[in-house]
Amino acid sequence: MSVGIRLSAGRMSSECPSRQKPIKGLLFIMVIGLRIGGVSGLWSSWGEWSACSKSCDSGVRFRARHCMTGSTCSSNDDLLQQEMCQTRPCAENIDGSWSDWAHWGECSVSCDLGYKQRIRSCDNPAPQGSGHGCQGSGREFDSCSAGACQSAIDGGWTDFVDSHCSTTCGPGVLVSTRTCTNPAPQNGGKNCEGEKLAFRKCEIRECTVDGAWGAWSFFSPCAVICGSGYRHRTRSCSNPPPSGEGKDCQGAAVERLDCSSAACPPDIKVCDKASLLGAVTKSTSCSTLASTSSALDTLVIETYCSATNDTTKWKLGIEIHNNCDLIPLYTPIGVVRAGTAHVLQYGVLVECYVNNLQMATKNCHDELIIENQALDDTTRTYHMILFEN
């Protein structure tokens, strides 16, 4: 039910005078209407209802309106309206009371003296309205004994146990494991320190991979000091390299091209290549160094290199080791006992590459052969033979 209210000379009256009550806490805004243009009694719409004057049980709420600007409103019309309101019944004031104690909990330790606890709740009943809460604590403690403690035993590692290699061929990984059970930690003893896993390389067998050639290098420059030499390029069986039972690369690892430089000076004799190679035999029935006649050695140089037979004019030149690219082919060379100037053997340089040398010389049967020599032999050195005029 809504009740209309109007304002008059400082007091308030309603349509039911017997129920007049003072209104507290309201701010009234007096709006003075101006009579403009002969318009009369133009009120605004009613505003929103205020909040209920009580939070529980019955109360009162209000709403208001005002006279529009330019209007002259009648003082007999309502400015405010009020009505009864009820939010909810007010609860009874009830003091809280404790429930029964719960069962005791477990002892706080596994051995020796400790404590246990139990709890209760303030819900028998819970406090309501302005009722008081429960007095005292909701938690109670008591001592407890879990028996005598045994001696602490620290944990110990077992031996590592290997798993299988991660690959059936080629490099792999082998994982080994151990456990902290020798013994297991007991009665508060320490756990094992360190890692339970270990890793190491393993290989059951090499994988079978056939080798393949890598790319050729660039040709070397023609570095011979005079006469004939060669340029070379190399490749390696490394793309991939053979492994296991794989096949090696087929073909040559070195490729050479002949090259030439300026004519050699008089002290370097260039031998007759065609005549020399035409006289070579493949006999290997005896060693060249087994010959007792040095004339057999010098005869090769005298015959095919147009050199004097006066060996006093034969001098040792530069050492060939590490200088293969510089030494002209088909020129006289000598094999010298290491650390001396004593010539063991004479011959003609036919080929020289890295640590290998080929020389034409006479064997013990006076046969012209081509013999392989190792430049890394530490018992001898190899030198050019120079000739004085």
Side-chain angles (χ1 to χ4, degrees), residues 88-361:
R88 59 179 177 80
C90 290
E92 181 183 0
N93 293 332
I94 299 176
D95 292 338
S97 181
W98 290 111
S99 66
D100 293 336
W101 285 104
H103 294 293
W104 285 103
E106 295 181 356
C107 197
S108 61
V109 294
S110 59
C111 66
D112 213 346
L113 296 177
Y115 69 89
K116 60 183 178 180
Q117 62 175 317
R118 63 180 181 175
I119 60 174
R120 61 180 177 173
S121 302
C122 187
D123 58 1
N124 187 34
Q128 300 181 36
S130 299
H132 297 293
C134 298
Q135 301 298 311
S137 174
R139 191 179 301 270
E140 188 176 50
F141 297 88
D142 196 8
S143 62
C144 58
S145 175
C149 291
Q150 297 180 354
S151 299
I153 299 176
D154 295 337
W157 289 112
T158 61
D159 292 334
F160 276 106
V161 177
D162 293 340
S163 63
H164 298 291
C165 192
S166 61
T167 58
T168 57
C169 71
V173 177
L174 184 68
V175 181
S176 302
T177 59
R178 60 179 178 174
T179 58
C180 188
T181 57
N182 187 34
Q186 300 175 42
N187 306 322
K190 297 179 181 179
N191 213 335
C192 297
E193 295 182 355
E195 300 297 331
K196 66 178 181 180
L197 298 178
F199 305 89
R200 66 178 187 270
K201 295 179 180 179
C202 60
E203 186 171 5
I204 298 175
R205 61 181 178 84
E206 285 188 328
C207 294
T208 298
V209 178
D210 291 338
W213 289 113
W216 284 104
S217 67
F218 293 106
F219 275 105
S220 64
C222 188
V224 65
I225 57 177
C226 67
S228 298
Y230 59 83
R231 302 166 58 213
H232 68 270
R233 63 177 183 175
T234 61
R235 59 179 178 174
S236 61
C237 188
S238 59
N239 189 34
S243 63
E245 298 179 359
K247 298 178 181 178
D248 207 343
C249 297
Q250 303 298 310
V254 180
E255 188 174 66
R256 300 174 186 175
L257 294 177
D258 292 337
C259 68
S260 60
S261 184
C264 290
D267 59 344
I268 298 177
K269 299 297 183 181
V270 178
C271 306
D272 187 340
K273 176 181 176 181
S275 299
L276 180 71
L277 295 180
V280 169
T281 178
K282 294 184 178 180
S283 173
T284 56
S285 58
C286 64
S287 168
T288 58
L289 292 180
S291 173
T292 58
S293 174
S294 61
L296 295 178
D297 294 330
T298 62
L299 189 59
V300 176
I301 297 176
E302 295 169 9
T303 303
Y304 299 101
C305 306
S306 300
T308 177
N309 59 3
D310 183 2
T311 57
T312 60
K313 295 185 177 181
W314 295 19
K315 306 298 181 182
L316 294 179
I318 63 173
E319 186 178 347
I320 298 176
H321 185 59
N322 292 331
N323 292 308
C324 271
D325 289 350
L326 302 177
I327 311 302
L329 300 179
Y330 300 99
T331 56
I333 60 173
V335 183
V336 179
R337 180 178 289 115
T340 72
H342 177 65
V343 178
L344 301 173
Q345 183 181 5
Y346 289 103
V348 176
L349 179 65
V350 174
E351 188 68 82
C352 186
Y353 180 71
V354 188
N355 288 326
N356 296 302
L357 175 148
Q358 291 182 346
M359 61 182 292
T361 188

